[in-house]
Amino acid sequence: MIRFLLFLAFLSFSHISFGIEITCAKDLIKVFTTAKGNSVYDDIELISDIDFSNANLTTPLGSFANGTCITYSGVFHGNYHTISGITMNTLNGYLYSGMFCGLENATIENVLFDSSCSFSAKECAGALSPWVERSLHVKNVINSANVNGGSCGVGGLIGHVREPKEGDGVFSFEGCVNKGNVTGSEHSVGGLLGSIQNFNNMRVVISNSINNGYIYGKYNIGGFVGMADSFEERIDVLVTNCINDGIINGSFVIGGFFGHLSKAENSTLVVSNSMNSGVIMSEEEDVGSFFGRLFIGRSMNVKMINDTNSGEVIGNVNVGGFIGRLDNSERMDIVNCSNNGSIKVRDSQKFVGGIIGGMESEGSPQSMLVLSSITNNHSIVVNCNSCSVGGLIGIVSEMVFVDIVIQDVTTNGSMVVNGSGTNPSVGGFIGSATENSNLTLTISHSANHFDISTQHVNKVGGFIGALTNTKN
């Protein structure tokens, strides 16, 4: 009897509305065409699947021909319904493409975009919105739509995060999946988010999310975020329990998770319990299974913990199993991680590493890298001209007061290097260290079991291939 009463109580509350109830595409369009002011603050609840096939939605909800936008600032409850039939191509008119013209302090949850949807724009594009401002929370959103855009940011869900007028920003993606192809004609393309720039006091959390889509652009291309750049104040980035299983492809600065993350001071970056199982390809330089290029700012705490690469990394210059190029590593810890994938390089003239391709400095006075409890079971195949190849790090160069700690590390697998040119070098841990002032290298409780095969390489070492022009 009690169970029956509880069941009746559940039924009586199960249809409580969270806000405006939407049963068809025209209902949702009307919310914005009849809106007053610059934003819609009402919560919206989908009651059924929404088919836009006959709705003639040619530009984003809230957009006007003069370029103005009524943003959405409420909570959108999808109730696990599917949105279909949006075919939006604004290449010859309105500059942006996405379901909403803009999002500000909004929450979007429990909704699916099926593969009948597509979004194309001359500039920013994202299935949810071409841009967002202030804060955004996205939960359990699945995108199967193809998204195509231009230069200001292209993402499977969000194109670009705008510089805020005031206040802090919090952006979270929880339980999200991108299955669509996301392509850009220029830079800043990501499976979830295209670009973040010039933002102060910001927090970004990506958890339990997956990219299965094909992501393509010229540069700054990532499986989750294309580019995050130029932060004068604090930015905290937390990525946990995420997987990239897609193909990430472009010319340079290509990463399985982030294409380019740089110039963040007084900040925290943690990537944990995450995996790349996709193929990461660069036609030129700076490519890694997690980061294409990572530029660590002053007083920035960076950690990778319990992460795995089982995919394939393909490139030419600065090719790394985890990070293509690491700049100004004031302090970075890579702990309990493993690389079980493969690295393939054709005609490289620079640096290839099982964890980091190239470690360089752009003026940082002091740098520290800790590699602890690392297991490498990967294969490296390189055809190169004057290259530097290492089981962990390709090259450490032009650093000032650099401290590298390698502890409890085991490298296995194979390394095949066919060299040519001047002085190629190969090392079980580090290919070469050159032009450094005050380098301290500590190796403890570690072993190299690489099967190293070389041709036309005159500098080969079990731990370090070459140590040149380096003091102390």
Side-chain angles (χ1 to χ4, degrees), residues 206-465:
I206 305 174
S207 61
N208 302 307
S209 295
I210 300 172
N211 174 60
N212 291 324
Y214 174 75
I215 316 298
Y216 176 80
K218 287 187 178 178
Y219 62 98
N220 297 340
I221 314 301
F224 289 96
V225 179
M227 178 176 67
D229 186 28
S230 299
F231 303 96
E232 295 180 2
E233 297 296 336
R234 185 175 185 87
I235 174 174
D236 293 325
V237 179
L238 174 62
V239 179
T240 184
N241 297 321
C242 292
I243 298 172
N244 173 60
D245 193 36
I247 297 173
I248 318 300
N249 190 11
S251 295
F252 57 98
V253 193
I254 315 298
F257 280 60
F258 290 81
H260 190 184
L261 193 151
S262 72
K263 299 178 182 177
E265 299 184 355
N266 304 309
S267 303
T268 300
L269 167 63
V270 179
V271 180
S272 64
N273 302 308
S274 295
M275 180 175 69
N276 172 65
S277 53
V279 179
I280 319 301
M281 298 187 293
S282 167
E283 298 171 4
E284 298 179 24
E285 61 184 336
D286 298 350
V287 55
S289 68
F290 284 88
F291 297 92
R293 185 181 182 191
L294 179 58
F295 189 122
I296 298 177
R298 185 176 63 248
S299 301
M300 186 175 182
N301 181 21
V302 181
K303 293 182 179 180
M304 297 185 70
I305 305 170
N306 300 325
D307 298 316
T308 301
N309 172 49
S310 60
E312 187 174 12
V313 181
I314 304 171
N316 287 319
V317 178
N318 293 334
V319 183
F322 277 31
I323 304 167
R325 177 174 172 178
L326 177 64
D327 287 321
N328 285 22
S329 58
E330 186 160 310
R331 171 76 192 226
M332 181 167 191
D333 294 80
I334 302 177
V335 180
N336 199 31
C337 295
S338 61
N339 182 14
N340 302 317
S342 64
I343 299 172
K344 295 181 180 179
V345 181
R346 299 179 300 272
D347 302 323
S348 174
Q349 296 183 2
K350 285 199 176 179
F351 321 125
V352 182
I355 301 296
I356 300 169
M359 183 176 174
E360 304 174 58
S361 173
E362 289 192 2
S364 177
Q366 189 164 358
S367 302
M368 185 171 186
L369 173 67
V370 176
L371 302 176
S372 178
S373 301
I374 304 292
T375 302
N376 269 354
N377 298 307
H378 62 273
S379 65
I380 299 177
V381 179
V382 179
N383 297 311
C384 68
N385 179 15
S386 304
C387 62
S388 178
V389 182
L392 298 177
I393 306 170
I395 192 170
V396 181
S397 68
E398 299 180 1
M399 306 290 288
V400 180
F401 293 103
V402 57
D403 189 359
I404 299 176
V405 177
I406 299 173
Q407 58 187 20
D408 299 310
V409 171
T410 302
T411 57
N412 300 296
S414 63
M415 189 184 305
V416 179
V417 181
N418 298 313
S420 63
T422 305
N423 296 325
S425 57
V426 177
F429 284 173
I430 300 174
S432 67
T434 182
E435 304 293 342
N436 299 290
S437 300
N438 298 292
L439 166 66
T440 300
L441 175 62
T442 304
I443 301 175
S444 63
H445 303 99
S446 299
N448 170 39
H449 298 295
F450 260 124
D451 181 5
I452 300 176
S453 174
T454 65
Q455 291 185 2
H456 309 295
V457 177
N458 57 7
K459 296 180 180 179
V460 181
F463 284 162
I464 302 175

